[in-house]
Amino acid sequence: MGVSGGLILSLEKHLDKILEIDTKNLIARVQPGVINKHFQNEVEKLGLFYPPDPASQDQSTLGGNVSENAGGMRAAKYGITKDYVMALRAVLPNGDIIRAGKKTIKDVAGFNVAGILIASEGCLAVISEITLKLLAKPKLRQSAMGVFHTIQEAMEAVYKTMASGVVPVAMEFLDNLTIKAVEERFNKGLPTKAGAILITQVDGSVPEQMAWQLSAIEGHFKANGCVDFKIAQTVAEEEDLWFARRNASQSISVYGKKKLNEDVTVPRASLPALLEEVGRISKAYNLPIPCFGHTGDGNVHVNIMLENPETQLEQGQRAMEEIFKCAIALEGTLSGEHGIGLSKAKFMPLAFSPEEMGLFRAIKKAFDPNNILNPFKMGL
Amino acid sequence: MGVSGGLILSLEKHLDKILEIDTKNLIARVQPGVINKHFQNEVEKLGLFYPPDPASQDQSTLGGNVSENAGGMRAAKYGITKDYVMALRAVLPNGDIIRAGKKTIKDVAGFNVAGILIASEGCLAVISEITLKLLAKPKLRQSAMGVFHTIQEAMEAVYKTMASGVVPVAMEFLDNLTIKAVEERFNKGLPTKAGAILITQVDGSVPEQMAWQLSAIEGHFKANGCVDFKIAQTVAEEEDLWFARRNASQSISVYGKKKLNEDVTVPRASLPALLEEVGRISKAYNLPIPCFGHTGDGNVHVNIMLENPETQLEQGQRAMEEIFKCAIALEGTLSGEHGIGLSKAKFMPLAFSPEEMGLFRAIKKAFDPNNILNPFKMGL
């Protein structure tokens, strides 16, 4: 992950203050060192809502989130960090302080500088202040889980449900290897023979809207091979449904000492093809590849597990490169959330043409002619 | 308005084909010369929905919409063009063809080049293909109108309603001068003594959600001085409610031969202050300034009317400059939708510092070192 401008500043000066929560305009102004989850909690106390919820939310800063364009589980309905950044203040490498964007939904004066600073991995400027859009907190929320015999059926259910017009807050999945790993660690009574489970959440303002959404999801799940559908009726039951997903990442360590984990992303209708290919690669390289993630937006966390990192590393890296190539062939991307940084820099030519890489270098030079901010990141 | 890359190409080669409507992923791929309204109609035939609806939708192309980051009435709920652009193909001034963005909601590989091409007024590249996000078409839709004694009360009602958590599709207003002009032209029985009317629309999936939204809006309107609230019960009644808004722009010609019309935008809670200042400027310069527009997102169309353009032009321009300064002092922008182009180029230094203008020039140079695309636009 690229070191964000926000992090650099906050380490030195603790720029971690929420400067303003403007309840009249549903806007907040923060310093870049504010921790995502702390910010979510503070705005929720006022009945407001900041949707981007990366898995790192307890540790990651809003400055880092902007620099990586962080996503999270709620992206299926609410989008990602870029959908909430209204304005930035930043320090350019030459020391100039600039403001980009406004506290207004519409603003078409000048180039969209805030747009290009988002996800720039600290390569273009040091972000020193962030203005974020807030929403009112939805009054109602409910979760459900569907169990599928095969991962193909589950992936079909994901994109067909989303294409039907239901917009769940989250649509997460765990494959069979991940389910078994969580069960081995925690004994929660999970369906270890299932090919995959989908866990979904909806929100809304009135009970009838919730019932309509859950009934539509149940219908689409069952029409696509769902053999068991359960709606959480209490907060405790909801916590239970989400337990497996929340503990997926740590549980899969049962398959190996080291994991190569990446977050390839494809258009949702290509999820069945992507997961089929991952299964083939797992067999071909004889490495377990448990998968889970944010299928509502096509974002799959693939984890190549190495029992003997010393002897298997190169093999694992070749398997990952095959997965990257497959995602790109399916019109997907190298990274949905994690960014490129140094570790994926060498894969950039898989995804971008020499002309596109040339344009990235020209943009980098326009902001940072002496190449003093995060040199080498993104393969630039 | 800047001439978009899309327009340039389409004039020559009629690049006006819808290349793909992908109902599985809710994505469309179009050439830049496709007319916005034609595209809306085509996707609606498939039960899908493309929200950005600029007033120019019957004439403007999607390429132009991307180049200006066009807004429209539905921005209060659904955002603007940039919220729907997933990927672009573009030709750089040196002839290189690049792709930017993906068919995926999440994509953080490389700089957000699509983000900076949006709203760049054809200054950076010639857009040759656009990939757009679609939504499922909402099943239900309903409109309502509120009449207010004073424009101040109406503007208070706007931001207090929006801050309450109701998210109407549109929240439009007409001031007293505009109401009187429409009435003079069309005799529709409008409340000509009202300080302002607000016209709003909500949508949803179930009737209870519609009722909840309309009842919340009625409550907030009445708590802020609304003296008459009417919900359209039929399509004909809905058309009637919107008639005044749709015919506002042409009707205000009753106040003068020429209009200087701009689209300043402020944070919603600053609407009362902005409109008060416009009233003061109207008196000080002795020029009628009818206002209407998209108050749900703080975007006001101000129209300085000149009876004798020959003698009043300079006076009108000075009045407009005062309005620009006021909008910027209220943390707003020179333009919410129309862009800068040549006509507002001279006002750029009101809104941007020399450092910010310097950065715009550096970005322009990175894309277009020989300055062959739309030179002078935006004051660059």
Side-chain angles (χ1 to χ4, degrees):
Chain A
M1 209 180 286
V3 173
S4 80
L7 277 173
I8 295 170
L9 273 188
S10 68
L11 289 172
E12 210 178 297
K13 293 191 179 177
H14 307 292
L15 292 178
D16 56 0
K17 284 198 182 65
I18 297 174
L19 300 170
E20 179 189 9
I21 299 178
D22 173 350
T23 56
K24 291 181 174 178
N25 289 302
L26 305 189
I27 285 168
R29 209 158 42 85
V30 302
Q31 292 184 324
V34 175
I35 299 289
N36 175 301
K37 187 68 188 175
H38 171 68
F39 178 65
Q40 286 189 47
N41 292 342
E42 291 302 305
V43 303
E44 287 185 23
K45 284 179 194 165
L46 301 168
L48 301 176
F49 181 41
Y50 178 69
D53 60 341
S56 62
Q57 61 190 351
D58 290 334
Q59 299 86 35
S60 67
T61 64
L62 292 169
N65 292 175
V66 171
S67 295
E68 283 306 345
N69 194 10
M73 292 199 195
R74 298 194 286 228
K77 177 168 185 172
Y78 289 108
I80 54 181
T81 303
K82 81 173 157 112
D83 300 311
Y84 295 86
V85 175
M86 304 191 77
L88 297 173
R89 198 178 67 171
V91 185
L92 298 182
N94 68 0
D96 284 352
I97 295 171
I98 57 144
R99 287 175 183 277
K102 291 281 179 190
K103 269 184 159 187
T104 56
I105 293 170
K106 292 173 175 171
D107 173 26
V108 297
F111 291 135
N112 180 15
V113 170
I116 198 133
L117 292 183
I118 295 164
S120 67
E121 300 195 356
C123 292
L124 301 181
V126 176
I127 294 165
S128 56
E129 195 180 293
I130 306 163
T131 301
L132 292 166
K133 181 169 85 170
L134 302 172
L135 304 178
K137 195 174 173 203
K139 287 177 178 51
L140 304 170
R141 193 184 73 187
Q142 210 160 359
S143 295
M145 184 173 82
V147 179
F148 294 79
H149 275 317
T150 73
I151 196 163
Q152 297 304 309
E153 287 171 322
M155 296 300 101
E156 295 273 331
V158 167
Y159 88 78
K160 287 179 180 165
T161 303
M162 304 295 289
S164 77
V166 191
V167 187
V169 176
M171 177 70 87
E172 298 285 311
F173 98 110
L174 282 74
D175 71 356
N176 173 265
L177 283 178
T178 309
I179 296 166
K180 284 198 288 198
V182 178
E183 189 57 23
E184 191 175 321
R185 290 278 300 260
F186 297 101
N187 285 300
K188 299 290 283 188
L190 291 167
T192 53
K193 289 185 178 163
I197 56 177
L198 295 178
I199 311 171
T200 188
Q201 187 179 80
V202 296
D203 65 9
S205 310
V206 292
E208 292 83 356
Q209 187 188 0
M210 306 295 286
W212 175 79
Q213 292 181 86
L214 287 168
S215 146
I217 291 172
E218 182 173 3
H220 291 290
F221 276 22
K222 290 191 172 166
N224 289 283
C226 174
V227 290
D228 189 17
F229 186 80
K230 185 183 168 186
I231 297 172
Q233 302 297 344
T234 64
V235 173
E237 280 183 30
E238 183 175 48
E239 284 299 310
D240 231 38
L241 282 194
W242 283 98
F243 182 90
R245 174 62 187 89
R246 293 229 167 77
N247 291 281
S249 187
Q250 57 157 304
S251 298
I252 54 170
S253 61
V254 302
Y255 297 115
K257 292 195 185 70
K258 184 177 171 65
K259 66 177 172 188
L260 306 178
N261 67 318
E262 297 296 352
D263 67 325
V264 294
T265 305
V266 294
R268 285 187 297 259
S270 300
L271 282 168
L274 176 72
L275 272 295
E276 192 173 320
E277 193 63 8
V278 170
R280 188 194 63 73
I281 293 168
S282 173
K283 277 189 196 130
Y285 287 83
N286 195 27
L287 293 169
I289 312 184
C291 294
F292 55 88
H294 318 304
T295 40
D297 49 59
N299 183 199
V300 176
H301 293 285
V302 295
N303 305 273
I304 299 178
M305 305 305 300
L306 309 179
E307 193 55 64
N308 298 300
E310 298 75 21
T311 59
Q312 291 176 309
L313 188 62
E314 199 200 316
Q315 185 183 350
Q317 284 169 337
R318 276 188 291 125
M320 191 60 86
E321 185 165 342
E322 276 208 48
I323 292 170
F324 284 145
K325 283 180 180 164
C326 168
I328 289 165
L330 293 166
E331 298 190 74
T333 171
L334 289 176
S335 177
E337 304 183 321
H338 295 176
I340 300 299
L342 293 175
S343 68
K344 265 183 280 194
K346 68 177 172 185
F347 297 117
M348 286 288 278
L350 289 182
F352 298 100
S353 70
E355 292 81 6
E356 289 157 357
M357 291 300 290
L359 179 61
F360 291 158
R361 286 193 191 95
I363 293 169
K364 168 77 168 151
K365 202 166 181 181
F367 280 81
D368 183 16
N370 298 316
N371 199 23
I372 61 174
L373 289 184
N374 274 355
F376 313 118
K377 290 275 163 74
M378 289 196 203
L380 302 181
Chain B
M1 210 181 285
V3 173
S4 80
L7 279 174
I8 295 171
L9 272 188
S10 68
L11 288 174
E12 209 178 298
K13 293 189 179 178
H14 307 292
L15 292 178
D16 55 1
K17 284 198 182 64
I18 297 174
L19 300 169
E20 180 189 9
I21 299 178
D22 173 350
T23 56
K24 291 181 175 178
N25 289 302
L26 305 189
I27 285 168
R29 208 159 43 84
V30 301
Q31 291 185 324
V34 175
I35 300 289
N36 175 300
K37 188 67 188 175
H38 171 67
F39 179 65
Q40 286 190 46
N41 292 343
E42 290 302 306
V43 302
E44 287 185 23
K45 284 179 193 164
L46 301 169
L48 302 176
F49 181 40
Y50 178 69
D53 60 342
S56 62
Q57 61 190 348
D58 291 334
Q59 299 86 35
S60 67
T61 64
L62 293 168
N65 293 174
V66 172
S67 295
E68 283 306 346
N69 194 10
M73 293 201 195
R74 298 194 284 228
K77 177 166 186 173
Y78 289 108
I80 55 181
T81 303
K82 81 172 156 115
D83 300 311
Y84 294 87
V85 174
M86 304 192 77
L88 296 174
R89 197 179 67 171
V91 185
L92 298 182
N94 68 1
D96 284 352
I97 294 171
I98 57 146
R99 287 175 183 277
K102 292 281 179 190
K103 269 185 160 186
T104 57
I105 293 171
K106 293 173 175 170
D107 173 26
V108 297
F111 292 135
N112 181 14
V113 170
I116 198 132
L117 291 182
I118 296 164
S120 67
E121 301 195 355
C123 292
L124 301 181
V126 176
I127 294 165
S128 56
E129 196 180 294
I130 306 164
T131 301
L132 292 166
K133 182 169 84 170
L134 301 172
L135 304 178
K137 195 174 175 202
K139 289 179 178 49
L140 304 170
R141 193 184 73 187
Q142 211 160 0
S143 294
M145 185 174 81
V147 178
F148 294 78
H149 275 317
T150 74
I151 196 162
Q152 296 303 309
E153 288 170 321
M155 295 300 102
E156 295 273 332
V158 167
Y159 88 78
K160 286 178 181 166
T161 303
M162 304 295 290
S164 77
V166 193
V167 187
V169 176
M171 176 70 87
E172 298 285 313
F173 98 110
L174 283 73
D175 71 356
N176 172 266
L177 283 177
T178 308
I179 297 167
K180 284 198 290 199
V182 178
E183 189 58 23
E184 190 174 322
R185 292 278 298 260
F186 296 101
N187 285 300
K188 299 291 281 189
L190 291 167
T192 52
K193 289 184 177 164
I197 56 177
L198 295 177
I199 310 171
T200 186
Q201 188 180 79
V202 297
D203 65 9
S205 310
V206 292
E208 293 82 357
Q209 188 187 359
M210 305 296 286
W212 174 80
Q213 292 180 87
L214 288 167
S215 145
I217 291 172
E218 182 172 3
H220 290 291
F221 275 21
K222 290 192 170 165
N224 289 284
C226 174
V227 290
D228 189 17
F229 185 82
K230 185 183 170 187
I231 298 172
Q233 301 298 345
T234 64
V235 173
E237 279 182 31
E238 183 174 46
E239 284 298 311
D240 231 37
L241 281 193
W242 284 98
F243 182 89
R245 174 64 187 89
R246 294 230 166 78
N247 290 282
S249 186
Q250 56 157 305
S251 297
I252 54 171
S253 61
V254 302
Y255 296 115
K257 293 194 185 71
K258 183 178 171 67
K259 66 177 171 187
L260 305 177
N261 66 318
E262 298 296 351
D263 67 324
V264 293
T265 305
V266 295
R268 287 186 295 259
S270 299
L271 282 168
L274 176 72
L275 272 295
E276 192 173 320
E277 193 63 8
V278 170
R280 188 195 63 72
I281 292 167
S282 174
K283 277 189 196 130
Y285 287 82
N286 195 27
L287 293 168
I289 313 185
C291 294
F292 55 87
H294 319 303
T295 40
D297 50 58
N299 183 198
V300 176
H301 293 286
V302 295
N303 304 273
I304 299 177
M305 305 305 301
L306 309 180
E307 193 54 64
N308 297 301
E310 299 75 20
T311 59
Q312 292 176 308
L313 187 63
E314 198 200 319
Q315 184 183 350
Q317 284 170 338
R318 276 189 290 124
M320 190 61 87
E321 186 165 343
E322 275 208 49
I323 293 170
F324 284 145
K325 283 180 180 163
C326 169
I328 289 164
L330 293 167
E331 299 190 74
T333 171
L334 289 177
S335 178
E337 303 184 322
H338 295 175
I340 300 300
L342 294 175
S343 68
K344 265 183 280 194
K346 66 177 172 187
F347 297 116
M348 286 288 278
L350 288 181
F352 298 100
S353 70
E355 292 81 6
E356 289 157 358
M357 291 300 290
L359 180 61
F360 291 159
R361 287 193 192 95
I363 293 169
K364 167 77 168 152
K365 202 166 182 182
F367 281 79
D368 183 17
N370 299 315
N371 199 23
I372 60 172
L373 289 184
N374 275 354
F376 313 116
K377 289 276 162 74
M378 289 196 204
L380 302 182

